[in-house]
Amino acid sequence: MRIQSFLFLCGCLYLSMMASACRSPRANLEFSPAMAQTFEIFVEKNADASNAKQLGEIEGYMMSTLPQHFARQGLSGRILFNIEEHKPGPNTKLLLIKLVNYTRIGYATTMGIHVTLKEGSTVLTSWQESAQTSRPWPTLVNSLNLKIGTNLKKYYAPAAPLPAQVPVQAY
Protein backbone atom coordinates (compact mmCIF):
# COMPACT_ATOMS: atom_id res chain seq x y z
CA MET A 1 0.00 0.00 0.00
CA ARG A 2 2.83 2.43 0.81
CA ILE A 3 4.52 1.76 -2.54
CA GLN A 4 1.31 2.57 -4.40
CA SER A 5 0.92 5.84 -2.46
CA PHE A 6 4.54 6.71 -3.14
CA LEU A 7 4.19 5.97 -6.86
CA PHE A 8 0.96 8.01 -6.99
CA LEU A 9 2.69 10.95 -5.28
CA CYS A 10 5.67 10.71 -7.69
CA GLY A 11 3.30 10.60 -10.66
CA CYS A 12 1.44 13.69 -9.45
CA LEU A 13 4.70 15.59 -8.92
CA TYR A 14 5.94 14.61 -12.38
CA LEU A 15 2.70 15.75 -14.04
CA SER A 16 2.71 19.08 -12.19
CA MET A 17 6.33 19.73 -13.23
CA MET A 18 5.52 18.89 -16.85
CA ALA A 19 2.45 21.13 -16.81
CA SER A 20 4.44 24.08 -15.47
CA ALA A 21 7.22 23.52 -18.03
CA CYS A 22 4.79 23.46 -20.95
CA ARG A 23 3.14 26.82 -20.37
CA SER A 24 3.26 29.40 -23.12
CA PRO A 25 6.39 31.57 -23.10
CA ARG A 26 4.24 34.51 -24.22
CA ALA A 27 2.00 34.33 -21.16
CA ASN A 28 4.12 36.68 -19.04
CA LEU A 29 5.34 39.11 -21.70
CA GLU A 30 4.89 42.78 -20.98
CA PHE A 31 2.98 44.61 -23.69
CA SER A 32 5.08 46.51 -26.19
CA PRO A 33 3.70 48.71 -28.98
CA ALA A 34 5.71 46.51 -31.35
CA MET A 35 3.30 43.69 -30.54
CA ALA A 36 0.52 45.61 -32.28
CA GLN A 37 2.47 45.59 -35.56
CA THR A 38 2.67 42.89 -38.21
CA PHE A 39 6.16 42.60 -39.65
CA GLU A 40 6.41 41.28 -43.17
CA ILE A 41 9.96 39.99 -43.47
CA PHE A 42 11.95 39.76 -46.66
CA VAL A 43 15.46 38.28 -46.54
CA GLU A 44 17.43 39.77 -49.43
CA LYS A 45 19.77 37.54 -51.38
CA ASN A 46 23.47 38.26 -51.03
CA ALA A 47 25.36 38.98 -54.25
CA ASP A 48 28.50 37.10 -53.09
CA ALA A 49 28.83 34.19 -55.52
CA SER A 50 31.82 32.59 -53.75
CA ASN A 51 29.70 31.37 -50.80
CA ALA A 52 26.36 31.12 -52.63
CA LYS A 53 25.50 27.64 -51.36
CA GLN A 54 26.40 28.39 -47.72
CA LEU A 55 24.66 31.78 -47.78
CA GLY A 56 21.55 30.17 -49.30
CA GLU A 57 21.44 27.67 -46.43
CA ILE A 58 21.85 30.46 -43.88
CA GLU A 59 19.13 32.60 -45.48
CA GLY A 60 16.78 29.60 -45.65
CA TYR A 61 17.38 28.76 -41.99
CA MET A 62 16.83 32.39 -41.00
CA MET A 63 13.54 32.49 -42.92
CA SER A 64 12.33 29.28 -41.30
CA THR A 65 13.20 30.27 -37.71
CA LEU A 66 12.55 34.03 -37.58
CA PRO A 67 8.73 33.81 -37.18
CA GLN A 68 9.22 31.42 -34.25
CA HIS A 69 11.69 33.78 -32.57
CA PHE A 70 9.29 36.67 -33.12
CA ALA A 71 6.40 34.69 -31.62
CA ARG A 72 8.45 33.95 -28.49
CA GLN A 73 8.90 37.70 -28.05
CA GLY A 74 5.21 38.40 -28.65
CA LEU A 75 5.77 39.82 -32.14
CA SER A 76 3.95 38.90 -35.33
CA GLY A 77 6.13 38.10 -38.34
CA ARG A 78 5.35 36.75 -41.80
CA ILE A 79 8.02 35.69 -44.28
CA LEU A 80 7.78 37.05 -47.83
CA PHE A 81 9.36 35.02 -50.61
CA ASN A 82 8.98 37.89 -53.04
CA ILE A 83 9.08 41.61 -52.20
CA GLU A 84 5.92 42.19 -54.27
CA GLU A 85 3.94 40.10 -51.73
CA HIS A 86 4.14 43.01 -49.25
CA LYS A 87 0.75 44.60 -48.67
CA PRO A 88 1.13 47.97 -46.93
CA GLY A 89 -1.38 48.61 -44.18
CA PRO A 90 -1.82 50.74 -41.08
CA ASN A 91 -0.06 48.28 -38.72
CA THR A 92 1.97 46.41 -41.32
CA LYS A 93 5.66 47.13 -41.67
CA LEU A 94 8.22 45.75 -44.11
CA LEU A 95 11.37 44.38 -42.51
CA LEU A 96 14.28 43.92 -44.94
CA ILE A 97 17.19 41.77 -43.81
CA LYS A 98 20.38 41.43 -45.78
CA LEU A 99 23.32 39.22 -44.91
CA VAL A 100 26.31 41.53 -45.34
CA ASN A 101 29.16 39.29 -44.24
CA TYR A 102 29.87 35.73 -43.26
CA THR A 103 33.41 34.87 -42.24
CA ARG A 104 34.83 31.64 -40.95
CA ILE A 105 38.39 31.57 -39.67
CA GLY A 106 39.40 28.38 -37.93
CA TYR A 107 36.76 27.69 -35.32
CA ALA A 108 35.45 31.26 -35.18
CA THR A 109 32.49 32.26 -37.31
CA THR A 110 31.24 35.82 -37.68
CA MET A 111 28.06 36.95 -39.37
CA GLY A 112 26.72 40.44 -39.94
CA ILE A 113 23.34 41.60 -41.17
CA HIS A 114 21.78 44.91 -42.18
CA VAL A 115 18.16 45.44 -41.12
CA THR A 116 15.80 48.10 -42.50
CA LEU A 117 12.28 48.76 -41.21
CA LYS A 118 9.98 50.47 -43.70
CA GLU A 119 6.45 51.76 -43.73
CA GLY A 120 5.40 52.15 -47.34
CA SER A 121 8.35 53.85 -49.02
CA THR A 122 9.51 55.56 -45.79
CA VAL A 123 12.49 54.10 -43.95
CA LEU A 124 11.62 54.18 -40.24
CA THR A 125 14.92 52.85 -38.94
CA SER A 126 17.94 50.92 -40.09
CA TRP A 127 20.74 49.20 -38.21
CA GLN A 128 23.50 46.63 -38.45
CA GLU A 129 23.89 43.61 -36.20
CA SER A 130 26.65 41.06 -35.92
CA ALA A 131 27.36 37.94 -33.93
CA GLN A 132 30.38 35.73 -33.43
CA THR A 133 30.71 32.20 -32.10
CA SER A 134 32.84 29.09 -32.25
CA ARG A 135 29.70 26.96 -32.46
CA PRO A 136 27.89 25.96 -35.70
CA TRP A 137 26.40 28.76 -37.80
CA PRO A 138 22.75 28.14 -36.78
CA THR A 139 23.75 29.57 -33.38
CA LEU A 140 24.65 32.83 -35.11
CA VAL A 141 21.33 32.96 -36.94
CA ASN A 142 19.37 32.31 -33.74
CA SER A 143 21.31 35.03 -31.93
CA LEU A 144 20.70 37.54 -34.72
CA ASN A 145 17.00 36.62 -34.86
CA LEU A 146 16.65 37.43 -31.17
CA LYS A 147 18.56 40.70 -31.59
CA ILE A 148 16.21 41.77 -34.39
CA GLY A 149 13.15 41.23 -32.19
CA THR A 150 14.76 43.02 -29.26
CA ASN A 151 15.68 46.03 -31.41
CA LEU A 152 12.16 46.24 -32.83
CA LYS A 153 10.72 46.26 -29.32
CA LYS A 154 13.19 48.99 -28.32
CA TYR A 155 12.29 51.05 -31.39
CA TYR A 156 8.59 50.90 -30.56
CA ALA A 157 9.08 51.39 -26.82
CA PRO A 158 7.59 54.62 -25.57
CA ALA A 159 10.12 57.28 -24.75
CA ALA A 160 11.06 57.43 -21.09
CA PRO A 161 9.15 60.18 -19.33
CA LEU A 162 11.13 63.18 -18.21
CA PRO A 163 11.56 63.56 -14.46
CA ALA A 164 9.11 65.90 -12.80
CA GLN A 165 10.27 69.49 -12.70
CA VAL A 166 9.86 71.04 -9.27
CA PRO A 167 9.97 74.83 -9.28
CA VAL A 168 12.56 76.35 -6.98
CA GLN A 169 10.98 78.65 -4.43
CA ALA A 170 12.83 81.63 -3.00
CA TYR A 171 12.62 81.95 0.78
Side-chain angles (χ1 to χ4, degrees), residues 6 13 70 76 82 129 148 162:
F6 178 74
L13 286 173
F70 269 36
S76 176
N82 191 341
E129 282 293 339
I148 292 169
L162 295 173

Side-chain angles (χ1 to χ4, degrees), residues 34 41 49 65 81 89-90 114-115 120 137 158:
I41 307 159
T65 58
F81 294 99
H114 182 80
V115 182
W137 62 261

